[in-house]
Amino acid sequence: MTKVAAVILAGNAAEAERQARIALGRGADLVELRLDGIAGLGSETVRHLAKALGERAIATVRSHGQGGESREGPGRSSLLREICGQRFAYVDLELKADAEGLDSLARAASRHGTKVIVSHHFTEAVDVHRVSEAIDACGANGDVAKVVLPVGDLGGAIRLVDLARARSDGRPRPLILIGTGPGGMLTRALAGFVGAEIQFASWGRAAAPGQFSLSTAARLRGREPIVLGLVGHPLEQSISPVIHETALAALDLPAVYLPFDLSPDSLDGFWLAMDRLRIRGFNVTHPLKESVAQQVDEMDADAERLGAVNTVVVENGWTNGHNTDVYGFRVSLRALGLRVGDRRSLVVGAGGAAKAVVHVLLREGASVQVTNRTIARADALADSFDEPVAVVPMRDLERGGPWDLLVNATPIGMKGVVNGLPVPEAIVAKAAFVYDMVYNPTTTPLLHVARRLNRPGTSGLDMLLHQAAKAFELWTGQSAPFEAMRRAAKEALR
């Protein structure tokens, strides 16, 4: 079974020992002592740490060239000789920095019952053939081969997972193969599935981007992993991973929720790889809701009616698309006490989210107008409904209104995306209530203007939470821990 190692980053030996003992008490199988970060590290300190923690510790003195705080030279070499002369569970030696003394260090460690990890960290993404060569080189010199490299996209992560599985099937020397960054989190999620020797987890500050926390890694240990996630672009500002990770942890489910930042061109590759990556469900955001609707095997009534999918359940190779945006928007309107029947509404946008909003408003009996910067898309949206939906060009809005409800269903105003207003301020002044589906930041430019104009309004956070809870229940068959999800969302948005 894959062991979980909490990475201990501390500036002095006493703090490293204290943190290591806590991490071991919180479920870690091992601790990785990053000795290169300990000030004034000498032989006496190494011997003390070996005696105190050695049987459950990985001793690592990462070189500067491989991302550590220590530099190559006599000081580091002598420390490694001292470490290999003590009893640790593992010692990490580097393929290149330690090449000259690698054989003698490995022999010394083996004499004391210490397993030798020989590692290599690439500083940039490389092709899978170079990764395979590095695995062979590390494996030829140690008990465990460890190779780490940045992963920039889903394709890179898939290639690493496939390589790790192929190596595992051939029963070679134990392997640790890690992709760093958000794109590489998939390699960590499937570490146990591909038979990795060790899963490295963060304890406090992460040692590498994309590293799971100890609690997440421990939750996956020894269990069949379930991969859930979010598909779309861009994803940097999304808090969906925080919301769903909180829910999974609350119910102790062996699952993770990962960001899959995909362009429309890469959707086919994702689809083909879903089964072997153990993906059992995912949310869909801009700009892929309509593209995914064309890919799924089956859709619920709302998704089929709208031609837009924001939640997919994957079971035995069969994909079932849902539109939980409809549920989320409808429930949030009721929670706000907004009655829209026979009221006038203006929806800004013409994508999948806008379709869900228009669908709900029409079902509730509202009179709906739609505007969009690309008027052809607004026309297409209106034509997709049997009920009348009026299309109003942006330039004509000043002659229209007033509206009982203004809904922004575009990403305009989202943190890190497009700053500004989806409609001019004069249009906001004509709305009795402003509903901005953007939730990050909590006070969007649109809501800021509404507040200044004394117009009540809300962000899309409640809609996000209600649709997320519905998606969670579709994936897991269990009731979503809604209040825990709400607390996590609010904390993430502070």
Side-chain angles (χ1 to χ4, degrees):
M1 183 171 69
T2 299
K3 305 177 187 72
V4 174
V7 182
I8 306 299
L9 304 171
N12 62 75
E15 182 62 13
E17 182 179 349
R18 188 180 78 85
Q19 293 294 336
R21 290 189 185 280
I22 296 172
L24 290 169
R26 298 279 178 86
D29 300 304
L30 300 164
V31 290
E32 182 185 33
L33 300 174
R34 281 293 299 270
L35 301 176
D36 50 285
I38 294 179
L41 182 69
S43 298
E44 185 176 340
T45 303
V46 169
R47 288 193 290 271
H48 172 78
L49 290 172
K51 184 176 181 180
L53 301 165
E55 291 185 356
R56 298 185 68 184
I58 304 165
T60 301
V61 186
R62 186 70 63 220
S63 70
H64 183 72
Q66 293 275 274
E69 297 183 35
S70 64
R71 297 184 179 274
E72 294 82 355
R76 181 171 178 278
S77 298
S78 62
L79 274 175
L80 286 174
R81 286 195 295 272
E82 181 65 51
I83 289 167
C84 291
Q86 304 298 320
R87 184 177 178 82
F88 287 94
Y90 297 84
V91 61
D92 187 308
L93 303 176
E94 295 177 9
L95 181 66
K96 290 190 174 180
D98 304 324
E100 188 173 332
L102 196 55
D103 287 344
S104 60
L105 289 170
R107 285 196 300 271
S110 296
R111 283 196 297 270
H112 291 83
T114 299
K115 290 185 178 180
V116 176
I117 300 170
V118 176
S119 65
H120 181 68
H121 291 65
F122 288 99
T123 57
E124 59 186 10
V126 297
D127 66 59
V128 72
H129 300 294
R130 288 189 61 191
V131 176
S132 190
E133 290 171 356
I135 292 172
D136 289 337
C138 291
N141 289 279
D143 301 302
V144 182
K146 178 185 178 185
V147 177
V148 182
L149 68 155
V151 171
D153 57 25
L154 179 67
I158 292 172
R159 287 188 288 274
L160 290 187
V161 171
D162 286 344
L163 177 60
R165 286 186 66 184
R167 292 280 183 151
S168 176
D169 291 343
R171 298 186 179 277
R173 197 175 294 271
L175 172 64
I176 304 166
L177 182 56
I178 301 171
T180 60
M185 293 174 74
L186 189 62
T187 66
R188 300 181 187 274
L190 299 177
F193 181 60
V194 300
E197 176 81 359
I198 297 168
Q199 166 85 284
F200 292 88
S202 65
W203 177 252
R205 176 168 59 96
Q211 196 171 67
F212 291 155
S213 67
L214 173 59
S215 59
T216 298
R219 197 173 74 239
L220 294 175
R221 177 180 48 207
R223 304 165 79 181
E224 289 291 324
I226 299 169
V227 177
L228 306 171
L230 176 63
V231 170
H233 176 81
L235 302 180
E236 289 85 354
Q237 305 305 327
S238 175
I239 63 169
S240 289
V242 172
I243 292 171
H244 283 289
E245 277 294 320
T246 298
L248 294 168
L251 299 185
D252 189 32
L253 297 176
V256 290
Y257 187 98
L258 306 179
F260 295 109
D261 199 318
L262 301 179
S263 67
D265 292 341
S266 53
L267 186 58
D268 285 345
F270 173 80
W271 218 264
L272 291 171
M274 279 193 300
D275 189 53
R276 68 181 191 272
L277 298 179
R278 297 194 60 79
I279 294 172
R280 297 295 177 258
F282 54 93
N283 288 132
V284 187
T285 189
H286 179 83
L288 297 177
K289 293 183 179 183
E290 290 158 316
S291 298
V292 167
Q294 297 173 18
Q295 294 266 20
V296 293
D297 298 307
E298 185 179 355
M299 287 187 279
D300 70 7
D302 287 330
E304 188 167 7
R305 174 69 186 81
L306 299 174
V309 164
N310 83 312
T311 299
V312 175
V313 178
V314 184
E315 188 173 5
N316 298 322
W318 188 261
T319 53
N320 200 324
H322 301 260
N323 195 305
T324 64
D325 281 340
V326 170
Y327 173 85
F329 185 62
R330 185 174 64 246
V331 172
S332 69
L333 286 180
R334 291 176 182 172
L336 290 164
L338 290 176
R339 305 295 183 207
V340 298
D342 298 322
R343 305 289 177 87
R344 300 185 70 196
S345 300
L346 175 64
V347 178
V348 186
K355 278 187 176 181
V357 168
V358 172
H359 180 57
V360 171
L361 292 175
L362 290 173
R363 283 170 56 178
E364 296 288 326
S367 171
V368 180
Q369 294 181 333
V370 173
T371 189
N372 192 59
R373 293 187 178 184
T374 305
I375 203 66
R377 294 202 68 198
D379 286 331
L381 182 150
D383 290 344
S384 70
F385 290 94
D386 296 329
E387 303 89 336
V389 176
V391 175
V392 183
M394 286 274 186
R395 64 179 179 274
D396 295 339
L397 287 176
E398 289 190 10
R399 297 195 297 270
W403 298 277
D404 298 290
L405 175 65
L406 166 65
V407 181
N408 173 36
T410 78
I412 295 174
M414 183 184 295
K415 183 178 180 181
V417 181
V418 183
N419 199 17
L421 296 174
V423 291
E425 186 172 321
I427 307 307
V428 183
K430 296 183 179 186
F433 191 94
V434 176
Y435 193 124
D436 195 342
M437 292 179 71
V438 173
Y439 61 82
N440 189 9
T442 51
T443 302
T444 65
L446 177 59
L447 291 177
H448 179 76
V449 168
R451 184 176 299 170
R452 184 160 49 77
L453 294 171
N454 293 317
R455 299 294 188 270
T458 188
S459 75
L461 182 58
D462 266 4
M463 176 180 172
L464 174 75
L465 287 166
H466 285 295
Q467 70 82 20
K470 186 67 173 177
F472 185 89
E473 291 168 6
L474 287 168
W475 294 326
T476 67
Q478 300 193 39
S479 296
F482 190 82
E483 288 307 316
M485 295 166 79
R486 184 192 293 277
R487 287 192 298 272
K490 289 184 174 180
E491 182 67 26
L493 291 172
R494 282 184 181 177

